Amino acid sequence: MTVPVRQQRFHPAVAPLGVAAAGVCGCFLLTLADPTTPGGPTPLCPTKAIFGIDCPGCGSARMIYSLCHLDISAAISYNAVAFVGLLLLMWSWVVWLGKAFGKRLPNWQDWRYSSITVGVVIVVWGIIRVLPFEPFRSLQV
């Protein structure tokens, strides 16, 4: 008895292209909301609102807003670690899209200590951002 082969309904590139389209729409909406304006329509970070401290992701919306306006220096000043994380996320997306077309691209997630490194960087960044003395106070947004 033979098992029927399951056919795919869509091309494998539909998912990464859909994610890219959602990202572009999100960036467009974020650009309209302008998170750099205090009291605007974007909500305050829950960690900042409840505990009064910056979480590792604080400033990410303003960072993406600045990138949408091609202001790289402002983006890095809002959240440098999230900026690097976004670059890694974009690299992962390119690898995903390449895989959909049968390409084999190097992926940073395959590196031996990538997940541990990302976790340590996020924890250290979170600690550094709440230190109440210079030069760390300038990292608070």
Side-chain angles (χ1 to χ4, degrees):
M1 181 165 144
T2 61
V3 178
V5 177
R6 184 173 173 231
Q7 291 182 327
Q8 287 185 319
R9 291 184 179 193
F10 301 104
H11 190 276
V14 169
L17 292 175
V19 168
V24 168
C25 290
C27 287
F28 176 73
L29 291 174
L30 192 63
T31 301
L32 292 177
D34 187 8
T36 59
T37 304
T42 55
L44 186 63
C45 171
T47 305
K48 183 90 166 183
I50 295 169
F51 302 113
I53 60 172
D54 291 333
C55 74
C58 277
S60 296
R62 287 172 279 175
M63 183 262 308
I64 293 171
Y65 176 84
S66 297
L67 285 177
C68 290
H69 287 87
L70 304 176
D71 190 353
I72 306 294
S73 62
I76 291 171
S77 70
Y78 282 125
N79 194 327
V81 172
F83 179 78
V84 173
L86 185 62
L87 293 176
L88 291 174
L89 188 65
M90 290 167 50
W91 181 0
S92 298
W93 181 85
V94 169
V95 170
W96 185 23
L97 184 63
K99 190 181 290 187
F101 287 104
K103 305 291 183 199
R104 178 138 171 81
L105 301 171
N107 191 355
W108 67 272
Q109 295 170 336
D110 295 335
W111 296 345
R112 185 172 184 175
Y113 297 110
S114 62
S115 59
I116 292 171
T117 303
V118 167
V120 167
V121 166
I122 290 171
V123 168
V124 169
W125 180 245
I127 293 169
I128 286 174
R129 291 191 80 182
V130 297
L131 294 176
F133 49 86
E134 289 301 332
F136 306 111
R137 181 171 281 152
S138 63
L139 296 174
Q140 297 171 359
V141 288

